[in-house]
Amino acid sequence: MNDLAIAIAIPRAASLWSRLILHFWALETELAENKSLPQGTPYQPNPVECLQKAYENTIKATSEPNEWQGTTTATGAQLHYTRTDSDPNAPATPLLYVTNLGDSQVLVVRPSQQERIFKTTEQWHWFDCPRQLGTNSPDTPRENAVMDKFEIEENDIVLAMSDGVIDNLWEHEIIQTVVDSVHEWERGAGGASTGGREGGAGGGMKFVAEELMKAAKVIAQDPFAESPFMEHAVEEGLAMEGGKLDDISVVAALCRRTSG
């Protein structure tokens, strides 16, 4: 089972910060995975430390010759594995490392049971002001990012979503959209596949992500819709109805065992 990382960074002011954070985070993850270790020492992912290095590299890249201001949230998931000590020949168990800083979200769905296995919790300084990395923000990955590690199963679907999705769709709507999209993909919807379509394989995750974005956009553009953001605003004593126009981004990944 090979390592796989997915991540999303949502800009609060300038998109350069989000692009650089993702670039350096992916780079540091790859460098850490390929780093030579003493014999008998297994590789253990440390996504928070990789994000910290990405943050420091982004500061350096945006400071000279002129400062480029901006902030971004960041959330990501790295797939690794674990083996049982009692049976070293047993198949590896998928192990997911999830890191979050801000109000984006990683959500793990088990389509076979139509249920949520895990989700991150949004981090706010106060309502609608998330923790973020960048100009004039006190937050850093090492001090504020939250990392969770847990086992998942083959055919689980891992979603990394911006607040433009979770502010407009309730959790049960996200799960239902994922399950329905997988079934539609299996029946031939969503275009050509690169292989078998079972469970969303062969390119189905692109279709799942697109369907989630469409569903969120419908609510975001409806001034009379009921939405999670509206409910949170009312709880804060603010007069608000309808969806929330915001960045709508989704990355979807399917956990499958490789042949290698």
Side-chain angles (χ1 to χ4, degrees), residues 80-132:
H80 193 51
Y81 61 88
T82 184
R83 296 184 184 274
T84 60
D85 295 332
S86 58
D87 186 2
N89 296 319
T93 299
L95 189 65
L96 198 67
Y97 289 71
V98 174
T99 307
N100 186 54
L101 192 152
D103 60 351
S104 294
Q105 185 179 93
V106 167
L107 179 72
V108 181
V109 178
R110 186 159 295 160
S112 62
Q113 299 176 12
Q114 299 190 26
E115 66 178 4
R116 178 252 294 172
I117 303 305
F118 172 85
K119 74 171 181 179
T120 55
T121 300
E122 304 98 296
Q123 295 178 307
W124 289 345
H125 289 284
W126 56 83
F127 176 68
D128 207 28
C129 180
R131 290 195 180 277
Q132 50 204 296

